[in-house]
């Protein structure tokens, strides 16, 4: 299949309307969409990504007014969260309407819903005029794509279209909150911080860390966010560049600039000024390291508060899933 790259939300939406797949930019990461009410189209997403069919998708809508097309939106808490954070990097898990095909939610009776803030995403979703089921637009297990080029790197020839937009501003996926229980819980950390959620819902539960518990978000069971390179977490920038082809990302200055050789110097360095910049650059840096043949990526840890919680979650998953421990 030939993958069309377009700047036109209308052209990208035409693929969704004819039962095909189209990738589109959002402020978190790029998504790979299909009409959420077309089961055959949604199956193409799983095929293109090589995604396990037990991992449910997020239904994307243009506007908060469309939540009730796919879900029961009677929860006051869910309404308050949506009022505050939609459109934006928040996903709400709600009771699913029975007319949404079960392939979207991997047989669950709940559905994840999100209204992206990105202008191109909104224009695209408006023309689609249907809820668009979409996971991140990467091959399953790879870091999520934050640029249209990264989408092509993973999915060229496997999807019908990519809507070309700006690099994703946030750079990490949305925060997923389960609103189907009395006390809502964060299932996946992301672009909206736990602190911000608690300003609206003070008793919001944080993500569960007990490995003995069954993860409530099916996606958290799977290997995720892993570059080909080995990922090593360090609390300080290693002072001597290691004798291997290595990359470094972190807030602290590693004391060496990037070199094209690997003679005991960094191959690639991404020094970031803030945790927000770290989030914005992380997945792209992992992909650049893979493209440059880097063997080991040293990632400096950050305080697990604010956006730092989501950064640490992705770093720990990448460390577990990377070549070193696969
Ligand atoms: O920022 C994002 O969320 C991006 C953009 C494209 O919107 N999408 C994204 O989708 O990251 P994906 O499929 O890569 O991650 C969705 C997460 C997975 O962990 C999945 O298991 C969880 O949301 N999820 C989806 N539906 C769920 C449900 N009904 N109950 C619990 N978790 C659910
Ligand atoms: Mg994903």
């Amino acid at each position: 299949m030939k993958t069309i790259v377009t700047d036109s939300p209308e052209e990208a939406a035409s693929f969704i309307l004819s039962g095909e797949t189209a990738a589109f930019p959002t402020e978190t990461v790029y998504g790979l969409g299909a009409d959420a009410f077309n089961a055959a189209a949604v199956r193409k997403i799983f095929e293109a990504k090589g995604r396990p069919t037990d991992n449910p998708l997020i239904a994307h809508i243009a506007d908060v007014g469309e939540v009730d097309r796919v879900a029961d939106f009677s929860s006051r808490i869910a309404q308050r969260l949506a009022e505050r954070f939609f459109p934006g990097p928040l996903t709400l898990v709600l009771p699913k309407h029975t007319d949404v095909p079960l392939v979207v939610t991997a047989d669950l009776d709940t559905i994840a819903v999100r209204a992206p803030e990105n202008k191109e995403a909104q224009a695209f979703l408006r023309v689609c005029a249907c809820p668009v089921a979409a996971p991140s637009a990467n091959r399953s297990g790879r870091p999520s794509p934050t640029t249209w080029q990264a989408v092509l790197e993973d999915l060229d020839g496997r999807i019908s279209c990519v809507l070309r937009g700006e690099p994703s501003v946030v750079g990490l996926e949305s925060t997923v909150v389960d609103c189907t229980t009395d006390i809502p819980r964060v299932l996946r950390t992301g672009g909206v911080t736990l602190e911000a959620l608690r300003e609206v819902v003070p008793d919001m539960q944080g993500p569960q860390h007990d490995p003995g518990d069954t993860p409530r978000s099916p996606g958290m069971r799977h290997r995720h966010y892993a570059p080909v390179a080995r990922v090593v977490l360090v609390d300080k920038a290693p002072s001597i560049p290691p004798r291997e082809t290595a990359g470094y990302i972190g807030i602290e200055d590693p004391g060496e600039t990037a070199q094209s050789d690997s003679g005991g110097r960094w191959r690639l360095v991404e020094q970031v000024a803030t945790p927000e910049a770290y989030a914005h650059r992380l997945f792209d840096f992992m992909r650049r390291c893979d493209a440059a043949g880097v063997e080991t990526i040293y990632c400096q840890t950050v305080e697990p508060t604010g956006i730092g919680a989501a950064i640490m979650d992705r770093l720990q998953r990448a460390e577990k899933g990377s070549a070193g421990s696969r």
Side-chain angles (χ1 to χ4, degrees), residues 5-74:
V5 179
T6 180
D7 294 324
S8 155
E10 291 76 18
E11 186 178 13
S14 72
F15 287 97
I16 302 292
L17 295 173
S18 59
E20 300 299 329
T21 52
F24 59 100
T26 86
E27 70 277 16
T28 56
V29 301
Y30 276 65
L32 175 60
D35 177 352
F37 284 109
N38 181 337
V42 172
R43 267 183 228 111
K44 293 177 186 173
I45 295 176
F46 286 89
E47 272 161 43
K49 285 187 54 119
R51 182 178 175 102
T53 51
D54 64 351
N55 196 359
L57 310 180
I58 297 172
H60 292 70
I61 52 173
D63 183 273
V64 64
E66 293 169 25
V67 175
D68 61 11
R69 290 179 68 180
V70 293
D72 171 353
F73 194 32
S74 58

Side-chain angles (χ1 to χ4, degrees), residues 77 80-82 84-85 90 92 175-177 179 183-187 189-209 304-306 309:
I77 288 177
R80 276 182 10 231
L81 288 169
R84 172 73 179 75
F85 297 108
L90 179 69
L92 299 177
T175 302
V176 180
V177 172
C179 293
I183 300 174
R185 178 194 285 279
V186 172
L187 300 180
T189 54
V192 174
T193 65
L194 182 58
E195 294 84 347
L197 292 168
R198 283 187 174 150
E199 282 172 19
V200 179
V201 183
D203 56 356
M204 173 78 59
Q205 302 275 301
Q208 56 187 38
H209 288 299
T305 55

Side-chain angles (χ1 to χ4, degrees), residues 27-326:
E27 70 277 16
T28 56
V29 301
Y30 276 65
L32 175 60
D35 177 352
F37 284 109
N38 181 337
V42 172
R43 267 183 228 111
K44 293 177 186 173
I45 295 176
F46 286 89
E47 272 161 43
K49 285 187 54 119
R51 182 178 175 102
T53 51
D54 64 351
N55 196 359
L57 310 180
I58 297 172
H60 292 70
I61 52 173
D63 183 273
V64 64
E66 293 169 25
V67 175
D68 61 11
R69 290 179 68 180
V70 293
D72 171 353
F73 194 32
S74 58
S75 152
R76 265 307 288 154
I77 288 177
Q79 291 169 13
R80 276 182 10 231
L81 288 169
E83 267 160 35
R84 172 73 179 75
F85 297 108
F86 278 15
L90 179 69
T91 295
L92 299 177
V93 174
L94 299 168
K96 167 185 165 307
H97 283 336
T98 47
D99 55 346
V100 180
L102 281 165
V103 60
V104 174
T105 60
D107 289 339
L108 296 176
D109 56 9
T110 59
I111 185 163
V113 188
R114 150 163 150 75
E117 189 173 22
N118 176 285
K119 292 291 166 249
E120 282 124 353
Q122 289 189 359
F124 164 75
L125 291 168
R126 280 215 184 85
V127 189
C128 290
C130 59
V132 171
S136 49
N138 50 281
R139 287 296 282 262
S140 195
R142 298 270 301 142
S144 294
T146 56
T147 62
W148 61 269
Q149 294 95 330
V151 175
L152 286 182
E153 198 176 280
D154 278 19
L155 298 174
D156 194 10
R158 305 181 65 87
I159 61 177
S160 296
C161 180
V162 181
L163 174 57
R164 178 160 51 185
E166 296 296 309
S168 299
V169 174
V170 177
L172 299 180
E173 300 87 346
S174 63
T175 302
V176 180
V177 172
D178 184 357
C179 293
T180 64
T181 51
D182 287 344
I183 300 174
R185 178 194 285 279
V186 172
L187 300 180
R188 178 180 72 183
T189 54
V192 174
T193 65
L194 182 58
E195 294 84 347
L197 292 168
R198 283 187 174 150
E199 282 172 19
V200 179
V201 183
D203 56 356
M204 173 78 59
Q205 302 275 301
Q208 56 187 38
H209 288 299
D210 181 359
D213 287 0
T214 316
R216 310 220 26 212
S217 188
M220 305 306 271
R221 279 197 299 270
H222 298 286
R223 187 176 147 263
H224 246 130
Y225 318 114
V228 175
R230 184 168 70 109
V231 171
V232 175
L233 305 196
V234 289
D235 42 1
K236 290 187 168 310
S239 53
I240 302 164
R243 298 249 150 232
E244 62 190 331
T245 313
Y248 166 81
I249 182 167
I251 291 181
E252 205 173 292
D253 184 352
E256 283 282 345
T257 49
Q259 300 285 328
S260 58
D261 66 290
S262 58
R265 290 169 189 271
W266 300 108
R267 174 67 66 92
L268 285 175
V269 167
E270 181 86 55
Q271 194 194 343
V272 287
T274 60
E276 285 71 24
Y278 201 145
H280 174 64
R281 303 298 307 150
L282 178 61
F283 287 153
D284 187 61
F285 184 70
M286 287 176 170
R287 285 176 175 271
R288 276 170 50 217
C289 283
D290 279 351
V294 166
E295 292 162 73
T296 306
I297 309 174
Y298 291 85
C299 303
Q300 191 189 8
T301 56
V302 293
E303 278 294 313
T305 55
I307 191 71
I311 296 170
M312 285 307 296
D313 170 73
R314 305 310 189 268
L315 289 180
Q316 281 157 355
R317 282 170 204 287
E319 185 181 44
K320 276 200 213 109
S322 70
S325 56
R326 210 176 285 158

